[in-house]
């Protein structure tokens, strides 16, 4: 799923909160202007209208992407955007008063003064806040890789390094026409050439790639197809536009350059916001349940296998970024060391790309009887009921995982990935996903897993997430082995 970067409103929650604060201040000033110091903000009608206007302000900012490119807007564009915001909020507010038949309760003079104050205060506050942000260093949070030529490498790198509003961390440069691997361009390392860039990007944590070529140079369509097939977002300078059938496209501005952004899938800012809100709500509930479970099953784990009740393992997240994923420990402490000797019994048949066993002696309490039947232990029941997954709700709250996504691979699995496998992590991984609710225990072909994950990414919607969550709950309650 394509996630908006520096242009996205999600990077500007401070501006959104500031705008709502300005709205409330303008309302109070308008009330005092009309009624003097006798005006009471605690009056029920005033509190009601202020709450409605604040909610409308939030909705208009999100749906209308009112903070898109806010840091790049000049004085005139900022005033025009502020006036547009005020107009829409007032229009919807008046519509609310008319529908609620409360318009007679409010002074027209006060509402007019409110609109004027709101516009001026919000405009001034935005300018002052932008000035403060420009003066302070910006935290770099997205890994950007540059693909260009030797003739313009310095100009491209300088442009992105000098962009104070950018949240990009420059990870490296690829020169398509020269092999200067090991050298650097203005302090940014050259890590690949045309022949090695795809394999390098398959192994490294990179969120996005920008392709900047001299005008007239042949467009490397095959390279872009490979990168987007891996799930990497690619920004192409407009002079290099070409036909990319089957890919989602959007024109935007990055580092003062107009680019065509190409990805396997895209989501609107509102969809991203709602998905994150759903993750936070689910994460909070899940963490509370995890605490309850820790009190109940923690002593059982410790009694059968003394040691920590939680297990932390390094997993590969979105676009190759590593993170620690937490589980209730369902295996003995030496489980990781014993994995190699059991690889021959892996029923996934994927050359180590995923690992599953019918009988796993590493599971706490699991034993094989002389007649060949398997005696389940506490570890098996924890896994059968998916109780081991509950600590991952902490990862959801932290932002490492989503409630629904693709399952994050281990580092050794990731290192065996081919190019098209990498598309699984074009989005944030999840606790559950389309593969899990499609009968996880019955799918033994890793390529089927990849196809299901790519289908989820391409067809993603909030409705699909809710459907998968409901199926997940049903699968766990049925204990059908698919979760």
């Amino acid at each position: 799923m394509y996630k908006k970067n520096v242009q996205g409103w999600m990077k500007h929650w401070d501006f959104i909160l500031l705008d709502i604060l300005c709205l409330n201040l303008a309302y109070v000033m308008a009330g005092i202007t009309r009624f003097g110091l006798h005006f009471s903000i605690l009056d029920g009608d005033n509190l009601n209208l202020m709450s409605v206007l604040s909610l409308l302000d939030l909705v208009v900012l999100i749906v209308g992407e009112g903070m898109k490119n806010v840091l790049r807007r000049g004085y005139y564009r900022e005033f025009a955007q502020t006036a547009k915001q005020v107009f829409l909020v007032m229009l919807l507010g008046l519509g609310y008063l008319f529908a609620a038949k409360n318009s007679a309760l409010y002074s027209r003079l006060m509402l007019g003064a409110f609109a004027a104050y709101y516009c001026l205060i919000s405009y001034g506050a935005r300018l002052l806040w932008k000035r403060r942000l420009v003066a302070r260093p910006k935290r770099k949070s997205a890994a950007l890789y540059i693909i260009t030529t030797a003739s313009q490498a310095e100009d491209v790198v300088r442009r992105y390094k000098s962009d104070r509003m950018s949240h990009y961390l420059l990870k490296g440069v690829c020169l398509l026409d020269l092999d200067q691997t090991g050298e650097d361009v203005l302090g940014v390392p050259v890590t690949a050439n045309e022949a090695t860039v795809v394999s390098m990007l398959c192994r490294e944590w990179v969120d996005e790639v920008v392709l900047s070529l001299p005008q007239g140079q042949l467009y490397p369509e095959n390279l872009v197809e490979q990168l987007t097939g891996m799930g990497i977002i690619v920004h192409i300078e407009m002079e290099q536009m070409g036909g990319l059938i089957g890919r989602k496209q959007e024109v935007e501005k990055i580092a003062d350059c107009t680019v065509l952004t190409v990805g396997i899938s895209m989501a609107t800012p509102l969809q991203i916001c709602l998905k994150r809100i759903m993750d936070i709500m689910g994460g909070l509930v899940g963490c509370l349940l995890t605490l309850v479970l820790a009190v109940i099953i923690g002593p059982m784990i410790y009694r059968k296998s003394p040691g920590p009740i939680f297990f932390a393992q390094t997993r590969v997240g979105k676009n190759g970024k590593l993170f620690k994923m937490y589980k209730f420990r369902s295996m003995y402490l030496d489980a990781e060391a014993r994995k190699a000797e059991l690889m021959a019994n892996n029923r996934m048949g994927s050359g180590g790309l995923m690992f599953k066993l019918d009988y796993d002696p590493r599971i706490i309490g699991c034993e094989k009887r002389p007649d060949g039947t398997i005696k389940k232990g506490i570890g098996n029941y924890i896994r059968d009921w998916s109780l081991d997954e509950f600590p991952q709700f902490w990862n959801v709250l932290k932002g490492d995982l989503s409630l629904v996504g693709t399952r994050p691979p281990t580092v050794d699995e990731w290192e065996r990935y081919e190019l098209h496998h990498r598309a699984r992590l074009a989005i944030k991984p999840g606790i559950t996903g389309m593969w899990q609710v499609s009968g996880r225990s019955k799918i033994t072909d890793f390529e089927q897993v990849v196809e299901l994950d790519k289908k989820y990414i391409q067809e993603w919607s909030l409705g699909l997430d809710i459907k998968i969550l409901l199926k997940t709950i049903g699968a766990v309650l049925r204990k059908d082995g698919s979760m």
Side-chain angles (χ1 to χ4, degrees), residues 41 115 146 296 308 385 468:
I41 192 62
I146 296 174
I296 297 172
W385 284 88
I468 290 174

Side-chain angles (χ1 to χ4, degrees), residues 18-19 22-23 82 86 117-127:
L18 181 65
D19 199 75
C22 290
L23 180 148
T82 304
V86 173
Y117 285 142
Y118 177 26
C119 186
L120 293 175
I121 295 173
S122 180
Y123 177 64
R126 292 185 190 196
L127 295 182

